[in-house]
Amino acid sequence: MARTLAAMPHQVREELTRRLRRNKRAFRKEDVSVVEAPMLKRAVSASALGNCMEWFDFGVYSYLASTIGKVFFPDASPGAQVVSSFATFAAAFVVRPLGGLVFGPLGDRIGRQKVLATTMIMMAAGTFVIGLIPSYGTIGFAAPILLLLARMVQGFSTGGEYGGATTFVAEYSPDRHRGFLSSWLDFGTFVGYALGSALVTLLNFLLSDDQMVSWGWRLPFLIAGPLGVIGLYMRLKLEESPAFQKQLDEHEKSLAQDSAGTEFKTIIRNHWRPLLLCMGIVLLYNVTNYMVTGFLPTYQTDTLNRSSSSADVLVLIGMLWIVVLITFIGRLSDRVGRRPVYAVGAAAMIVLAIPAFLLIKADGTWLPILGVLILSTLLACFAAPSAATLPALFPTAIRYAAMGIGFNFAVAAFGGTTPLVTEALVNVTGDDMVPAYYLMLAGAIGLVTVKFLPESAQVPLNGSQPMVGSEEERQELVSTSKELYRVSQEHAGKP
């Protein structure tokens, strides 16, 4: 038992000791939750599928930015078409905070599962409708207006999607493996993006430019309908998360009964520090994310004058590399901690952003691939631990709403605007290294954030019971708690 205590991570020992002292006794069997493996797999799969579908749309939209510009903004110059397309892309992020403000409190009151089923069907419908919108040549100015409305429906639903999905998976995951299991959520993200980008790449290869502008661009969006039905079915089969069903503190149960306005005031007043940390991590992750996934395809075609097929394949290679890496980095974050993974990635971003873009700009094949792989590796370092790190910043009763505020406001302000702002800066300054400088700034902000970020690896979620994956682990934790409580009493000078 002494060996077990010695091997226990410092942050876990501190948190368990705090809980034992508060309870004035060791854990009993009923104090530790066991999650059933089949239900855990369903929860992770259904949540990852939602992210997969969301990012399937983003991959499609990013790779079709030039084509969408021609369809919906035909009278503009080529550069203005791309900027207009990215502006419509960014518009969805303007309403994301509103979606978070609506769905977050709902998730804290009626449950995570019900809200996630709602956001799934809204997201699928918004994507499917884009594939049905007539072109500018058919209905004139109404076409970009309808595109904007469809994107806003997507953005509104997404405002409740990622925060809810991370909350749901984190609350289902055993404490020791939360980083690994939560990383599957972003695994779904990049699988979805890779599938969307691969489909567009295939269509660009098979169809002429005229065919793509005429009707080919619609096909990827129309696929969202069947995907949404499958995702909705999976989410309706889920049970509510254990942490939501049984909150640890009576105080937090009372918080859950507050009105939405009171809940937001409580979050801003009492949890502003973790809210700022959440926004800092989201900025680091999403600036990198949208730089690689949203901006890089168009950067290569419009700024570096590469063919769309070569640009598409290059970014697709990066996405597949992230898919390979992400769950391994998630598992690593369970062992070494979330903070070291973020810190190494942020520091490497500052050092490697300029070399990576110099490689991307180079002639040939292998040097640009190496540049994309560097950025993709850094992105994997930020993506893998995020779904486990961010929910751990907030108590159970306000977790969904707090994630809705912190995540969506940061994404709207810094993530979704990255392609638009970077494209505009490149056009204004004429400096095609602006994206590298932008990433360096994000890395610096990330390093400052990590300095104040509490370590949450293997630690029970704030306001939730310790979670384990089997009865054997529960018995082990109960036994360990007895020894830990005895040691804490000795240190306190009590018999």
Side-chain angles (χ1 to χ4, degrees):
M1 189 61 63
R3 185 177 302 174
T4 301
L5 289 180
M8 184 178 290
H10 175 71
Q11 70 274 9
V12 179
R13 182 166 180 161
E14 279 195 343
E15 174 61 18
L16 293 182
T17 299
R18 184 188 70 81
R19 294 186 180 212
L20 294 172
R21 286 175 174 170
R22 183 186 61 190
N23 294 342
K24 298 181 180 180
R25 59 173 175 79
F27 290 143
R28 297 168 183 161
K29 185 177 180 180
E30 61 270 19
D31 296 324
V32 181
S33 296
V34 180
V35 60
E36 297 178 2
M39 185 57 68
L40 175 61
K41 290 179 181 178
R42 286 199 295 272
V44 173
S45 300
S47 299
L49 181 61
N51 263 27
C52 181
M53 198 190 78
E54 174 189 348
W55 279 87
F56 175 86
D57 164 61
F58 286 158
V60 166
Y61 199 99
S62 297
Y63 272 54
L64 288 173
S66 297
T67 302
I68 289 173
K70 295 174 184 176
V71 173
F72 291 97
F73 309 98
D75 295 335
S77 66
Q81 286 178 350
V82 175
V83 171
S84 299
S85 181
F86 277 141
T88 308
F89 178 82
F93 292 85
V94 175
V95 297
R96 281 187 71 153
L98 181 60
L101 293 176
V102 171
F103 289 121
L106 279 177
D108 286 332
R109 283 163 179 74
I110 67 174
R112 286 72 160 116
Q113 183 263 352
K114 295 182 181 67
V115 173
L116 287 174
T118 303
T119 58
M120 168 65 76
I121 198 63
M122 287 183 65
M123 201 161 43
T127 304
F128 183 76
V129 165
I130 289 178
L132 301 177
I133 299 174
S135 67
Y136 185 93
T138 303
I139 61 173
F141 192 66
I145 295 297
L146 291 174
L147 175 65
L148 179 63
L149 290 175
R151 288 289 300 156
M152 292 179 76
V153 169
Q154 290 176 319
F156 185 79
S157 62
T158 304
E161 171 63 30
Y162 187 80
T166 55
T167 295
F168 194 73
V169 172
E171 290 179 348
Y172 252 108
S173 300
D175 299 331
R176 293 180 181 177
H177 309 293
R178 184 169 293 114
F180 170 66
L181 291 168
S182 296
S183 68
W184 285 97
L185 192 62
D186 286 282
F187 175 89
T189 292
F190 293 102
V191 167
Y193 188 95
L195 289 174
S197 57
L199 179 56
V200 174
T201 301
L202 179 62
L203 290 173
N204 281 328
F205 178 76
L206 295 175
L207 303 177
S208 66
D209 288 343
D210 289 341
Q211 288 174 319
M212 283 296 294
V213 172
S214 177
W215 55 270
W217 68 272
R218 299 181 184 276
L219 298 179
F221 292 103
L222 296 177
I223 293 175
L227 284 178
V229 173
I230 296 171
L232 179 62
Y233 173 78
M234 291 181 65
R235 288 193 171 178
L236 289 175
K237 302 288 286 184
L238 293 175
E239 294 181 7
E240 192 51 78
S241 73
F244 181 80
Q245 291 177 346
K246 188 176 183 180
Q247 296 181 21
L248 185 60
D249 297 325
E250 291 297 327
H251 172 61
E252 289 172 354
K253 291 180 182 179
S254 66
L255 277 180
Q257 306 303 316
D258 291 341
S259 66
T262 302
E263 184 173 6
F264 289 135
K265 291 178 182 178
T266 299
I267 292 170
I268 300 299
R269 182 178 64 249
N270 299 337
H271 302 277
W272 60 270
R273 289 180 185 273
L275 203 60
L276 290 177
L277 292 174
C278 174
M279 296 179 72
I281 292 297
V282 172
L283 183 151
L284 175 66
Y285 172 17
N286 279 276
V287 166
T288 311
N289 191 6
Y290 290 101
M291 185 70 76
V292 175
T293 60
F295 176 73
L296 205 53
T298 305
Y299 174 75
Q300 294 183 77
T301 55
D302 288 25
T303 303
L304 304 183
N305 298 315
R306 290 181 178 148
S307 67
S308 60
S309 58
S310 64
D312 292 349
V313 169
L314 193 61
V315 178
L316 179 58
I317 290 172
M319 295 301 99
L320 294 176
W321 178 238
I322 294 174
V323 169
V324 171
L325 284 181
I326 193 164
T327 57
F328 291 100
I329 298 177
R331 191 187 295 273
L332 178 67
S333 76
D334 283 326
R335 296 178 180 176
V336 305
R338 322 285 190 229
R339 296 180 75 243
V341 174
Y342 281 124
V344 170
M349 177 77 80
I350 297 172
V351 175
L352 297 177
I354 290 178
F357 268 89
L358 290 175
L359 290 169
I360 291 171
K361 289 172 55 181
D363 295 330
T365 301
W366 296 108
L367 290 181
I369 288 177
L370 178 59
V372 170
L373 290 180
I374 289 173
L375 293 182
S376 299
T377 301
L378 296 175
L379 177 52
C381 290
F382 306 143
S386 287
T389 303
L390 300 178
L393 292 169
F394 306 104
T396 300
I398 62 167
R399 185 170 294 130
Y400 203 146
M403 285 287 294
I405 296 172
F407 185 87
N408 289 300
F409 274 90
V411 171
F414 308 109
T417 59
T418 293
L420 174 64
V421 172
T422 311
E423 176 74 16
L425 288 175
V426 170
N427 289 336
V428 169
T429 65
D431 186 352
D432 57 12
M433 290 300 292
V434 165
Y437 311 146
Y438 206 80
L439 289 178
M440 292 173 69
L441 177 60
I445 294 173
L447 270 184
V448 173
T449 303
V450 171
K451 178 178 175 60
F452 299 98
L453 184 71
E455 183 56 73
S456 60
Q458 302 188 38
V459 176
L461 289 176
N462 187 1
S464 302
Q465 289 185 331
M467 288 281 292
V468 296
S470 66
E471 286 292 341
E472 291 77 12
E473 288 185 10
R474 173 153 69 178
Q475 185 57 50
E476 177 188 346
L477 182 56
V478 169
S479 299
T480 302
S481 73
K482 295 177 182 178
E483 179 64 17
L484 188 59
Y485 184 64
R486 184 188 64 79
V487 172
S488 69
Q489 293 295 94
E490 289 178 357
H491 286 173
K494 296 180 181 180

